[in-house]
Amino acid sequence: AHISVIDLPVPLPGDYHLTVDSPAIDAGTLEESSDPVIGAPVTDYDDEPRPSGTGFDIGADEVQLAP
């Protein structure tokens, strides 16, 4: 399944941070494509680097795991 990119106002209301026990952590994938819109962004909602851990987190937040 694919998640489409939609244009939303920033900042969005609400808290989009994942909790450390979220099943979304490291559950995303980076889809290879010649289209720059497809694939995971290199930074999250807080402008922190992605991925952090063994894979991309699903959603707006990337949990920053300690090495």
Side-chain angles (χ1 to χ4, degrees), residues 15-43:
D15 185 358
Y16 295 92
H17 295 95
L18 298 174
T19 58
V20 294
D21 60 345
S22 172
I25 294 174
D26 295 335
T29 60
L30 175 61
E31 182 173 321
E32 297 294 331
S33 173
S34 60
D35 184 339
V37 175
I38 297 176
V42 296
T43 58

Side-chain angles (χ1 to χ4, degrees), residues 8-14 16 45:
L8 296 173
V10 176
L12 296 173
Y16 295 92
Y45 186 75

